[in-house]
Amino acid sequence: MPALQFQLQQTNENSKARAGKITTDHGEIETPMFMPVGTIGSVKAVTQQQLYNVVGAQIILGNTYHLYLRPGLEVLEAANGLHNFNGWHKPMLTDSGGYQVFSLAASRKITEEGVMFQSHIDGSRHLFTPEKVMDIERIIGADIMMVFDECPPYPSEYKYAKDSMALTHRWLDRCFQHFNNTPDKYGYAQSLFPIVQGGTYEDLRIASCQYIAGKNAAGNAIGGLSVGEPIEMMYDFTALCCEQLPEDKLRYLMGVGTPWNILECIHLGIDMFDCVMPTRNGRNGMLFTTNGVINIKNKKWEKDFSVIDDGLLNEVSSYYSKAYLRHLFVAGEILGLQLASVHNLSFYLWLVSEARKQILLSNFVSWKNQILPVIQKRF
Amino acid sequence: MPALQFQLQQTNENSKARAGKITTDHGEIETPMFMPVGTIGSVKAVTQQQLYNVVGAQIILGNTYHLYLRPGLEVLEAANGLHNFNGWHKPMLTDSGGYQVFSLAASRKITEEGVMFQSHIDGSRHLFTPEKVMDIERIIGADIMMVFDECPPYPSEYKYAKDSMALTHRWLDRCFQHFNNTPDKYGYAQSLFPIVQGGTYEDLRIASCQYIAGKNAAGNAIGGLSVGEPIEMMYDFTALCCEQLPEDKLRYLMGVGTPWNILECIHLGIDMFDCVMPTRNGRNGMLFTTNGVINIKNKKWEKDFSVIDDGLLNEVSSYYSKAYLRHLFVAGEILGLQLASVHNLSFYLWLVSEARKQILLSNFVSWKNQILPVIQKRF
């Protein structure tokens, strides 16, 4: 089975931004790219048809921990994997549960062997080891699997961050060993991406970048950022990691972020992003648009019959009015959640595809400087 | 402005079932037809694009009482009516609030003048008179407006039903007088349909049919059924009203019902239906399919990867599996509500269009007898 391929297509002189192309057995992905998050096998409030045809998603993300609990491995295996189960036939990526080591800190215990989770649903206990996570991700069947890591909180003491990184590296070796010893499960190639950790310590981040680069994977992820540290620190460590990681491999910054975070990190050399923000904030009535940020629940939109976003030509953003969407939120209608989610994802996908276009034109930095104040404006 | 036209196209010898065509300024409607209910200006959990392209809705219904409260008349008027506000550019019908006289019985007071409602949202008091309801429905801008009536509960004493009917008739006259004295508001024709009442008393129903038929409206509605009476009684009174109401006018049975209720009532001579059942029951996991009724939350569907309904060729029913839809319900994902609602509405619209096809083939009764046991089967 040929593994995933990454081809670097264009770089710019005054920026580390890159345009590239990923080839998988479920199709191609143009980078920079953004992955909508489909935690439990569904991008919340968005149909697969909308992801294909309105949002224009190229790849979506599933969460290993959540999918393991529901629908569970028996169902996913019987379905021949998540693609067949949920009807998303383009590429998919699964995280590893490593982020839940951070986000569910109150209900898990870390040992050398792995992490004992207590289910947030029924309190049952589940041991995630690097080997088991590889088995789970094989069964889910994502095109891109992520290694099992420990994502330490911010701030962490130097010693904690260093020990945690060392553990993550030992788990990394176990992940790759087990991954290499197990076959692709459903007749298409699955690839494994390692994850840089090291907290907010330069020497640790550099060491971690070097260690994970040694795996020679098609893509390298940066974890443990966007976990509460100041934004400038996030940029600094992203820049540091981008400098350390090989240029001919994909760079994936996990869990980031706002539209402006994404543009800045594309500038620093990142190719791949995922974040729950467009859907989660959308469900709370916060809209990202080509004209700025809107709280659609605000009274000021009550009689504003202009479309949600005149800069996006799709069946949601340039069809429904701000006044109608506000009404749906005020009246508690489910359709409000749907339209806001589809719109925000459309905006994110537009943003990264526009960034790509500007990189190909060698115009990324001047475009970024022009658009940043526009999309950050608040109404 | 030419008013709505109804053209009877086909009748069958062994049935009162009819096929017809309605012409409005927002397009044609083929009958028998079913109207998805868009209570507050949104068919719950369904996008307008899905209504157009997947469900195949020809007309939707809005609720005057709910739209009056939210978004309110000021917004609807500023939007130039509900069609422009919600982006549904095919025909629309508004009820009158008469059903809320029944359903909100605990928070309203009836007088000769009208009904004083106490808002279910903030407790504020609102007087609905026949004249005011006509004004509200003009502002909402539906193609078909309904008269303001009292919908008495079941059972009602003879004297209550008779007095209530008389009140409904006096309100009917006031509605028509006010309607005729006010112009179409947005450059297209609005029509007013009267409503038969009379409880479950034959002489009252006959008297009411005759009274409302005297208005010579393009369509006549039957109200006050499906409010808790035995199903055979509902059929008997529907049959009685159909016999009494003119054959060359539309017959609209309000608030009915299950798929089998609808087929039986088409057989009795009804052309128009509306009901919250497909969306409400869908949100509770009850699916109507061409193979029978399914509770999708049931464990038995956990690994059933067959499509939701192989009899319906659309992007939901014949795309997603039962196992996936069950998973969405079990995991509490919003997408489950969306898919179930779209599917159930697609089934209802398929059912009435298939009924029409069979009427045109003069084969309605034999088709109905064949399909009824199939679609009523429970899994």
Side-chain angles (χ1 to χ4, degrees):
Chain A
M1 210 72 54
L4 171 150
Q5 305 288 326
F6 175 59
Q7 181 195 346
L8 198 57
Q9 295 176 309
Q10 176 90 40
T11 55
N12 280 193
E13 286 211 343
N14 57 350
S15 170
K16 307 273 186 190
R18 313 113 58 83
K21 190 175 77 176
I22 306 171
T23 307
T24 79
D25 288 341
H26 282 102
E28 295 185 345
I29 306 163
E30 295 183 325
T31 64
M33 57 93 141
F34 178 83
M35 295 180 277
V37 176
T39 306
I40 325 182
S42 150
V43 176
K44 288 191 195 301
V46 181
T47 69
Q48 274 67 307
Q49 287 77 18
Q50 288 172 323
L51 287 173
Y52 283 123
N53 304 322
V54 186
V55 170
Q58 304 185 84
I59 172 171
I60 65 173
L61 181 150
N63 288 100
T64 290
Y65 168 80
H66 292 284
L67 289 163
Y68 163 84
L69 292 178
R70 292 186 302 205
L73 299 185
E74 211 184 302
V75 172
L76 287 167
E77 189 157 22
N80 281 314
L82 183 56
H83 289 87
N84 282 322
F85 186 60
N86 72 0
W88 176 257
H89 297 291
K90 288 191 176 182
M92 252 188 241
L93 177 148
T94 36
D95 73 355
S96 62
Y99 184 76
Q100 278 72 36
V101 180
F102 161 73
S103 67
L104 303 177
S107 51
R108 54 81 182 150
K109 188 170 181 295
I110 306 175
T111 62
E112 182 67 32
E113 190 187 6
V115 177
M116 182 68 82
F117 284 107
Q118 203 168 359
S119 160
H120 68 291
I121 300 167
D122 64 6
S124 56
R125 291 157 62 86
H126 304 271
L127 180 66
F128 273 35
T129 65
E131 293 78 12
K132 182 163 178 192
V133 168
M134 292 301 97
D135 289 339
I136 298 172
E137 292 192 74
R138 284 282 193 201
I139 290 171
I140 297 172
D143 303 85
I144 303 175
M145 298 166 44
M146 301 304 300
V147 297
F148 190 52
D149 59 340
E150 187 199 347
C151 177
Y154 175 84
S156 289
E157 296 292 325
Y158 184 83
K159 182 173 171 5
Y160 185 94
K162 187 174 181 182
D163 291 348
S164 166
M165 181 190 77
L167 180 68
T168 283
H169 290 175
R170 291 192 298 276
W171 287 358
L172 177 72
D173 293 341
R174 287 167 59 189
C175 283
F176 267 89
Q177 181 162 11
H178 196 73
F179 174 79
N180 289 329
N181 287 338
T182 50
D184 295 329
K185 204 166 163 62
Y186 303 115
Y188 53 83
Q190 296 184 276
S191 298
L192 181 62
F193 283 13
I195 305 175
V196 175
Q197 290 290 352
T200 48
Y201 299 98
E202 284 193 24
D203 62 324
L204 299 182
R205 283 281 170 183
I206 291 171
S208 190
C209 284
Q210 288 168 354
Y211 196 86
I212 77 148
K215 295 295 171 189
N216 201 29
N220 297 302
I222 304 167
L225 293 180
S226 203
V227 292
E229 76 283 5
I231 197 70
E232 289 306 326
M233 187 179 271
M234 188 271 274
Y235 290 145
D236 288 346
F237 278 92
T238 299
L240 177 72
C241 292
C242 285
E243 278 159 29
Q244 294 293 320
L245 291 170
E247 192 171 1
D248 60 338
K249 309 289 187 179
L250 275 163
R251 301 189 192 121
Y252 167 26
L253 180 57
M254 303 182 82
V256 172
T258 62
W260 34 101
N261 292 162
I262 286 175
L263 291 189
E264 294 296 2
C265 293
I266 287 173
H267 179 56
L268 299 173
I270 297 293
D271 309 295
M272 296 173 60
F273 299 89
D274 80 278
C275 193
V276 295
M277 187 171 269
T279 42
R280 181 177 292 165
N281 290 28
R283 293 198 305 281
N284 289 322
M286 183 181 180
L287 304 183
F288 300 99
T289 81
T290 59
N291 301 303
V293 181
I294 284 175
N295 176 353
I296 199 65
K297 293 189 268 191
N298 200 302
K299 174 97 176 162
K300 73 183 286 189
W301 310 113
E302 188 179 33
K303 290 182 208 163
D304 187 326
F305 302 110
S306 64
V307 297
I308 297 169
D309 190 344
D310 57 11
L312 296 183
L313 298 178
N314 68 55
E315 69 178 38
V316 171
S317 311
S318 51
Y319 187 84
Y320 298 96
S321 70
K322 297 181 182 80
Y324 181 59
L325 186 53
R326 174 185 186 270
H327 161 65
L328 295 175
F329 271 91
V330 170
E333 287 287 306
I334 294 170
L335 185 59
L337 312 180
Q338 302 171 236
L339 300 184
S341 300
V342 169
H343 164 73
N344 272 355
L345 285 175
S346 299
F347 174 77
Y348 267 68
L349 270 287
W350 169 84
L351 189 72
V352 292
S353 75
E354 193 65 20
R356 173 182 162 83
K357 203 181 294 174
Q358 299 295 336
I359 295 166
L360 292 174
L361 294 169
S362 295
N363 189 47
F364 177 73
V365 171
S366 101
W367 170 77
K368 174 172 81 73
N369 292 341
Q370 174 263 314
I371 203 172
L372 273 177
V374 178
I375 61 174
Q376 291 186 84
K377 208 169 150 187
R378 286 180 183 258
F379 290 93
Chain B
M1 210 69 56
L4 170 151
Q5 306 288 327
F6 175 60
Q7 182 196 345
L8 198 56
Q9 295 177 308
Q10 177 89 39
T11 55
N12 281 193
E13 285 210 344
N14 57 350
S15 170
K16 306 276 184 187
R18 314 111 60 81
K21 190 174 76 176
I22 306 171
T23 307
T24 79
D25 288 341
H26 282 102
E28 296 186 345
I29 306 163
E30 295 183 326
T31 66
M33 57 94 141
F34 177 83
M35 294 180 278
V37 176
T39 306
I40 324 181
S42 151
V43 175
K44 287 191 195 303
V46 182
T47 70
Q48 275 66 308
Q49 285 77 19
Q50 288 172 322
L51 287 173
Y52 283 122
N53 303 323
V54 186
V55 171
Q58 305 185 84
I59 172 171
I60 65 172
L61 181 149
N63 287 100
T64 290
Y65 168 81
H66 291 283
L67 289 163
Y68 163 84
L69 292 178
R70 291 186 304 205
L73 300 184
E74 213 183 302
V75 171
L76 287 167
E77 189 157 23
N80 282 314
L82 183 57
H83 289 87
N84 282 322
F85 186 60
N86 72 0
W88 176 256
H89 297 291
K90 288 191 176 183
M92 252 188 239
L93 178 146
T94 36
D95 73 354
S96 62
Y99 183 76
Q100 279 71 36
V101 180
F102 161 73
S103 67
L104 303 176
S107 52
R108 54 80 181 151
K109 187 169 182 293
I110 306 174
T111 62
E112 182 66 31
E113 190 188 6
V115 176
M116 182 68 82
F117 284 106
Q118 204 168 357
S119 160
H120 68 291
I121 301 167
D122 63 5
S124 56
R125 290 157 60 87
H126 304 271
L127 180 65
F128 273 36
T129 66
E131 293 78 12
K132 183 164 177 190
V133 168
M134 293 301 96
D135 290 339
I136 298 172
E137 293 192 74
R138 284 285 195 199
I139 290 171
I140 297 173
D143 304 85
I144 303 175
M145 298 166 45
M146 302 303 300
V147 297
F148 190 52
D149 59 339
E150 187 200 346
C151 176
Y154 175 85
S156 288
E157 296 292 325
Y158 184 82
K159 183 171 169 8
Y160 186 92
K162 187 175 179 181
D163 291 347
S164 167
M165 180 190 77
L167 180 68
T168 282
H169 290 176
R170 291 192 297 277
W171 286 358
L172 177 72
D173 293 341
R174 287 167 59 190
C175 282
F176 267 88
Q177 183 163 10
H178 196 73
F179 174 79
N180 289 329
N181 287 338
T182 51
D184 295 329
K185 204 167 164 60
Y186 302 114
Y188 53 83
Q190 297 183 276
S191 298
L192 181 62
F193 283 13
I195 304 174
V196 175
Q197 290 290 351
T200 47
Y201 299 98
E202 284 193 25
D203 62 325
L204 299 183
R205 283 280 170 183
I206 292 171
S208 190
C209 284
Q210 288 169 354
Y211 196 86
I212 77 146
K215 295 296 172 189
N216 201 30
N220 297 301
I222 303 167
L225 293 179
S226 203
V227 292
E229 75 282 6
I231 197 69
E232 288 306 326
M233 187 180 272
M234 188 272 273
Y235 289 146
D236 288 347
F237 279 92
T238 298
L240 177 72
C241 291
C242 285
E243 279 159 27
Q244 294 293 320
L245 291 170
E247 193 171 1
D248 60 337
K249 309 289 187 179
L250 275 163
R251 299 188 192 123
Y252 167 26
L253 180 58
M254 303 181 81
V256 171
T258 63
W260 33 100
N261 292 161
I262 286 175
L263 291 189
E264 294 296 2
C265 293
I266 287 174
H267 179 55
L268 299 173
I270 297 293
D271 308 296
M272 295 173 62
F273 299 89
D274 80 277
C275 192
V276 295
M277 186 171 269
T279 41
R280 182 176 293 166
N281 290 28
R283 293 197 304 281
N284 289 323
M286 182 180 181
L287 304 184
F288 300 99
T289 81
T290 60
N291 300 305
V293 180
I294 283 175
N295 177 354
I296 198 66
K297 293 189 270 191
N298 200 303
K299 174 98 176 161
K300 74 183 285 188
W301 309 114
E302 189 179 32
K303 289 183 207 160
D304 187 326
F305 302 111
S306 65
V307 297
I308 297 170
D309 189 345
D310 57 11
L312 296 183
L313 297 178
N314 68 55
E315 69 178 38
V316 171
S317 311
S318 49
Y319 187 85
Y320 298 96
S321 70
K322 297 181 183 78
Y324 181 59
L325 186 53
R326 174 185 186 270
H327 162 66
L328 295 175
F329 270 91
V330 170
E333 287 288 306
I334 294 171
L335 185 59
L337 312 179
Q338 302 171 237
L339 300 184
S341 301
V342 169
H343 164 73
N344 272 355
L345 285 175
S346 298
F347 174 77
Y348 267 68
L349 269 287
W350 169 83
L351 189 72
V352 293
S353 76
E354 193 65 21
R356 174 182 162 83
K357 205 181 293 175
Q358 299 295 335
I359 295 166
L360 292 173
L361 295 169
S362 296
N363 189 48
F364 177 74
V365 171
S366 100
W367 171 76
K368 174 173 80 75
N369 292 341
Q370 174 263 315
I371 204 171
L372 272 177
V374 178
I375 61 175
Q376 290 185 85
K377 206 168 151 187
R378 285 179 185 260
F379 291 93

